[in-house]
Amino acid sequence: MDLQVGRSLYAEIGGVDGIDRLIQAFYQRVCADAALAPFFARVSMNKLIHMQREFFCAALDGPLRYTGRPVIHAHQGLGITREHFAAFARHLFETLHAMNINEDDRYAIIARINTYYDDVVNVGAGGDS
Ligand code: HEM
């Protein structure tokens, strides 16, 4: 019997401390990737990490509310392709693996993030895709 049934992804990851570790380790990987680093060159990483902490907490059924811009507005005009998106998702998957998050939960978290694909990839300056 699976005694973990009913635990939220937020609990599986270790609450807000787990989210903090995830976001720090994840952006270290993203910024070490030559294909992705240029997107973040002029971005305040402190602000981004603060926003991502809220965003991931909310996306994984945790208690924080996301107070940032709509995801589509934050990414419009940046020229993010499906390859960029795939690399970003792969770094997230590998970060979760390094944190010993089990495979089912890793796929569940990636599935949540994938629902934002259309708000991130090839979003034109007017916000359409
Ligand atoms: C599903 C995948 C993604 C999600 C859920 C996501 C989410 C977010 C969030 C919540 C913010 C903060 C918005 C704010 O400050 O109000 C943000 C900002 C940003 N994201 Fe993403 N993101 C994703 C994928 C990507 C990818 C693939 C790239 C580039 C390769 C990227 C580049 C950026 C940049 C450069 C910013 C800062 C924009 C600025 O401050 O003007 N994101 N993202």
Side-chain angles (χ1 to χ4, degrees):
M1 195 170 85
D2 183 1
L3 296 172
Q4 300 296 307
V5 161
R7 271 169 70 91
S8 69
L9 290 169
Y10 173 76
E12 291 299 334
I13 208 158
V16 88
D17 289 346
I19 301 264
D20 282 342
R21 285 196 302 277
L22 168 69
I23 301 299
Q24 292 286 351
F26 174 52
Y27 278 99
Q28 272 176 23
R29 283 178 193 253
V30 166
C31 290
D33 182 328
L36 301 183
F39 288 99
F40 299 93
R42 276 180 290 280
V43 169
S44 157
M45 290 314 281
N46 282 344
K47 176 173 168 267
L48 181 61
I49 282 172
H50 175 77
M51 283 306 162
Q52 287 293 25
R53 180 178 193 255
E54 289 182 354
F55 182 86
F56 272 79
C57 195
L60 302 183
D61 305 323
L64 294 185
R65 200 169 57 88
Y66 174 60
T67 62
R69 288 169 289 167
V71 171
I72 193 165
H73 291 166
H75 300 89
Q76 69 189 17
L78 295 186
I80 299 170
T81 66
R82 59 182 296 172
E83 287 78 16
H84 294 130
F85 187 93
F88 186 89
R90 181 169 41 77
H91 289 304
L92 180 60
F93 195 80
E94 287 173 1
T95 308
L96 292 165
H97 196 186
M99 288 176 69
N100 294 322
I101 303 300
N102 71 51
E103 192 174 25
D104 282 356
D105 288 340
R106 293 204 299 274
Y107 280 113
I109 290 168
I110 295 292
R112 296 267 175 109
I113 294 306
N114 278 344
T115 63
Y116 291 90
Y117 181 93
D118 288 343
D119 289 351
V120 170
V121 173
N122 294 327
V123 192
D128 52 333
S129 44

